[in-house]
Amino acid sequence: MIEEEAPEGADAAGSSAEASAAGPRRASRPLPDHPVRLALLDLLAELGTVTSSQAAARLGHSSGLCSFHLRRLARAGLIEEAPHSGGRVRPWRLRWDDPRRAPRAPDRSVTATLHLTPDETADLADRIQELLAPFERRRGHPAGAAPVAVTARLRPER
């Protein structure tokens, strides 16, 4: 894990200058292995920007816990504060290696509503992981490569 964890079930609060005082650090691994942090990265990939309150409402956690993990992701250099008009609202966004360079490839979106059994859903999730694995494992980046956020959520609709 990148940083220390919040106590289980606690709303970990910290100073707002905490992330900026230390400055962004680069992560020692491509993604943190904490489920809340992974969910926050997925949510940022889906929505673009998110506040801790918005994340809490979407993910079912407290805003304090989401704020704690958002600050840890920022300290790791994976996200940054998005421009805002001030006040207490702190929107966050994914951080690219070079903030002046947006991904060159056009956005691609794949959406489908499927009728799957629980076993088929698990099999599909495994296949998606298998497709992504070679890209996650490779060392270095090919020339012209840009970060691409990939989000796949398999959840039953009710």
Side-chain angles (χ1 to χ4, degrees):
M1 304 208 182
I2 295 177
E3 292 293 324
E4 71 280 356
E5 299 304 323
E8 189 67 31
D11 288 350
S15 75
S16 62
E18 179 182 353
S20 60
R25 290 193 332 236
R26 299 310 293 159
S28 60
R29 54 176 34 155
L31 285 177
D33 56 358
H34 192 284
V36 173
R37 293 177 191 164
L38 291 171
L40 287 167
L41 289 171
D42 285 347
L43 191 60
L44 284 164
E46 179 184 338
L47 300 179
T49 61
V50 69
T51 65
S52 62
S53 296
Q54 292 167 331
R58 290 283 300 260
L59 301 176
H61 298 296
S62 71
S63 63
L65 183 67
C66 290
S67 177
F68 173 86
H69 287 290
L70 285 164
R71 289 191 314 272
R72 292 305 173 274
L73 289 168
R75 288 179 71 185
L78 296 171
I79 67 171
E80 63 188 0
E81 273 192 72
H84 57 92
S85 59
R88 296 183 64 190
V89 175
R90 295 178 72 188
W92 298 91
R93 65 183 178 193
L94 291 174
R95 183 173 184 268
W96 305 105
D97 287 339
D98 180 355
R100 295 167 292 159
R101 184 189 83 204
R104 287 180 231 140
D107 286 352
R108 298 281 314 249
S109 179
V110 177
T111 304
T113 301
L114 308 172
H115 298 272
L116 304 172
T117 66
D119 288 342
E120 290 172 324
T121 302
D123 182 51
L124 181 57
D126 291 342
R127 289 180 186 199
I128 292 169
Q129 284 286 47
E130 289 171 14
L131 284 171
L132 297 175
F135 300 101
E136 293 175 317
R137 285 193 301 255
R138 72 179 171 195
R139 304 230 185 264
H141 305 293
V148 175
V150 178
T151 303
R153 288 203 172 132
L154 308 177
R155 61 177 176 236
E157 293 184 358
R158 305 254 177 214

